Amino acid sequence: TSGERMREAELLRWAGELTLQRGGRHARREARTWFERALEVAGQQHARWFELRAAASLLRLDLAGASAPKSRDRLAAVLAAFGDYADWPDLRDARALLPAG
């Protein structure tokens, strides 16, 4: 009601996570749509933290599929904006999804 949309990207990401947990025939495709929308909104809002979380969720979804290289590149680009803040759990988790090097 206030028009505040600060956490919109995170809510979209959570919708994707919940879709995956619910399962069903089209859960992966629907979750991908939620995650991509979360990335889009976070990018528009320059909400890097929520962009990081959405990119990591998308890569986890893609790890077993052909889209993994694209998702890895996307996550790596988001991580680059954070520099070397290695102590933060979300950053450590996201970096662990990428190959060492």
Side-chain angles (χ1 to χ4, degrees), residues 3-99:
E4 179 64 47
R5 296 175 48 170
M6 186 173 78
R7 293 192 182 1
E8 180 180 4
E10 183 67 353
L11 293 173
L12 292 166
R13 187 187 73 82
W14 270 108
E17 296 290 353
L18 292 172
T19 298
L20 285 174
Q21 286 182 9
R22 185 185 69 225
R25 186 170 36 170
H26 302 292
R28 291 178 62 82
R29 186 179 68 216
E30 290 174 20
R32 169 179 298 287
T33 300
W34 287 114
F35 296 150
E36 288 175 347
R37 180 69 181 130
L39 273 166
E40 180 183 326
V41 168
Q44 290 169 353
Q45 295 179 343
H46 304 286
R48 295 290 178 234
W49 199 258
F50 295 140
E51 189 176 18
L52 170 79
R53 292 174 59 89
S57 290
L58 184 60
L59 179 54
R60 281 188 206 95
L61 178 69
D62 286 343
L63 278 175
S67 298
K70 181 180 177 185
S71 294
R72 277 189 192 100
D73 291 346
R74 193 177 226 171
L75 178 59
V78 174
L79 274 169
F82 283 92
D84 294 324
Y85 296 103
D87 292 346
W88 297 351
D90 285 339
L91 292 171
R92 280 194 309 262
D93 292 346
R95 285 189 181 105
L97 293 170
L98 299 175

